[in-house]
Amino acid sequence: MSLEKEASIRMEYVYFTSESVTDGHPDKICDQIADAILDAALKEDANSKMAVEATIKDDFILVYGEANTQATVDYAAIAKQVLADIGYKETYDVLVKVNKQSSQINHAVVSDESVGAGDQGIMFGYATNETENYMPLPIALAHALSQRLSDAKATIDWLLPDGKTQVTVAYDGNKPVYVHTVLVSASHQAGIPLETIQETIMNDVILPTIDAHWITDETRFIINPSGEFSIAGPFSDSGTTGRKIVVDTYGGVGRIGGGCFSSKDPSKVDRSAAYFSRYVAKSVVAAGLADKIEIQLSYAIGLSDPLSIHIDTFGTAKRPESEILEIINANFDFKVGNIIKELDLLRPIYRESANFGHFGRDGFPWEAIKPLKF
């Protein structure tokens, strides 16, 4: 094949990139602290209303926010335990500034008749049939890499908890063709040769994770391009709850809502309605109504029903979109109270959701597929 012909074929591909982070990334530390606190409250009081977040820098942690719960929560102890669980061995100072939830918000959310949305806002759900877990391939692979990199510190003694992964996929139209680039940045103890790091990450993380059929002679592998990465975690960068919402959702494919997930109890529709819209989207694609779909919901504080429902199938619908929307409305109840009940969200399940994406992983109720009647 001539060089001109080969170059022309390559230009037909579209390249899309998504990133993920390990459990020891500073922002993810804070997400885990927030959701561990939420779980602790829900374990004792299923009706807890929580929005307690965290910020970390060096050996200092600030835990702050609003809570309305009958549970006894040791915020500082939880924060320290999360750091220890991740693999950080330093001693941390924790400052706690948590107040009771505003009575005005609580009155709007809690009533005898129904559960109102804990805030106004927009939420998006997405699903595609390009992978078995109905996620876009770039973020699915990036999460798989970050999870394996996080797990690897248990057996590789010089590996530290902080790290990032990034995957670029070449698409021919809507179809993923091959992995164009894999980027991994792994923190490590000082003095480890770069060659050792690169060889270990390639053999122990990348190759066992990415199916060989996605890899071609053109696939690039980039490992620790900055060189040494021994100053890491909160001693390198600050972290704050809710700063990785693109990582948490679909890796930049589709749109994102206005709020993060971690720290928020299910009355906060930023979280629960985003979960429900993923549940709906996945069920629609699994039913063969479209190859991919994005669903937008909007809510007002204190009101139970959504203000609007919008769908976009990106030209992949097998039926008119108006008909698909009718099928959705006939099969799903978008009231806040029903979302909480149908997905059984008043349980301490949230710390497990904080790492490696809230979507595309088994074990969460919003990842179930509901058989649709149409």
Side-chain angles (χ1 to χ4, degrees), residues 94-347:
V94 183
L95 175 64
V96 178
K97 183 65 174 176
V98 177
N99 296 324
K100 192 171 183 178
Q101 183 188 56
S102 163
S103 59
Q104 294 173 338
I105 294 175
N106 188 259
H107 177 74
V109 173
V110 180
S111 72
D112 294 333
E113 297 180 359
S114 64
V115 178
D119 203 351
Q120 72 174 53
I122 58 173
M123 306 86 211
F124 291 92
Y126 183 87
T128 173
N129 61 9
E130 68 184 67
T131 61
E132 291 183 359
N133 64 356
Y134 296 90
M135 291 291 285
L137 183 61
I139 191 64
L141 293 179
H143 282 325
L145 286 170
S146 65
Q147 182 160 13
R148 191 169 185 96
L149 182 59
S150 295
D151 293 343
K153 63 181 181 284
T155 55
I156 302 171
D157 58 7
W158 48 260
L159 198 60
L160 297 180
D162 193 5
K164 285 187 172 185
T165 64
Q166 190 167 289
V167 176
T168 302
V169 173
Y171 282 82
D172 183 1
N174 289 323
K175 181 181 179 181
V177 180
Y178 71 95
V179 170
H180 178 271
T181 303
V182 177
L183 168 61
V184 176
S185 292
S187 62
H188 57 87
Q189 294 178 3
I192 307 300
L194 181 58
E195 294 78 9
T196 299
I197 296 167
Q198 291 175 332
E199 180 180 354
T200 302
I201 297 302
M202 176 62 78
N203 293 327
D204 292 4
V205 176
I206 295 174
L207 294 181
T209 301
I210 299 182
D211 195 300
H213 83 270
W214 293 120
I215 298 174
T216 72
D217 292 340
E218 295 187 13
T219 303
R220 295 182 67 200
F221 300 99
I222 304 171
I223 301 170
N224 281 31
S226 65
E228 190 171 9
F229 186 11
S230 58
I231 302 173
F235 298 90
S236 174
D237 294 308
S238 62
T240 294
T241 300
R243 290 204 302 202
K244 286 291 176 283
I245 191 168
V246 175
V247 171
D248 287 343
T249 53
Y250 306 100
V253 175
R255 302 170 180 89
I256 59 173
C260 70
F261 303 150
S262 291
S263 86
K264 297 176 181 176
D265 71 84
S267 72
K268 312 296 193 300
V269 282
D270 277 338
R271 183 168 217 163
S272 55
Y275 289 170
F276 199 72
S277 59
R278 162 65 177 175
Y279 172 57
V280 175
K282 187 173 179 181
S283 298
V284 167
V285 174
L289 294 172
D291 292 334
K292 57 183 175 179
I293 189 171
E294 180 182 81
I295 299 172
Q296 184 204 51
L297 305 176
S298 67
Y299 287 84
I301 189 168
L303 301 185
S304 179
D305 288 294
L307 304 181
S308 65
I309 304 173
H310 171 77
I311 67 171
D312 187 350
T313 60
F314 308 95
T316 71
K318 312 306 179 185
R319 299 191 182 200
E321 284 191 349
S322 59
E323 186 176 332
I324 294 175
L325 185 55
E326 289 178 1
I327 292 170
I328 288 172
N329 282 317
N331 283 272
F332 296 97
D333 179 355
F334 291 88
K335 287 184 172 63
V336 176
N338 178 72
I339 290 174
I340 294 172
K341 181 180 179 181
E342 186 167 349
L343 296 184
D344 195 13
L345 296 179
L346 296 177
R347 297 177 292 141

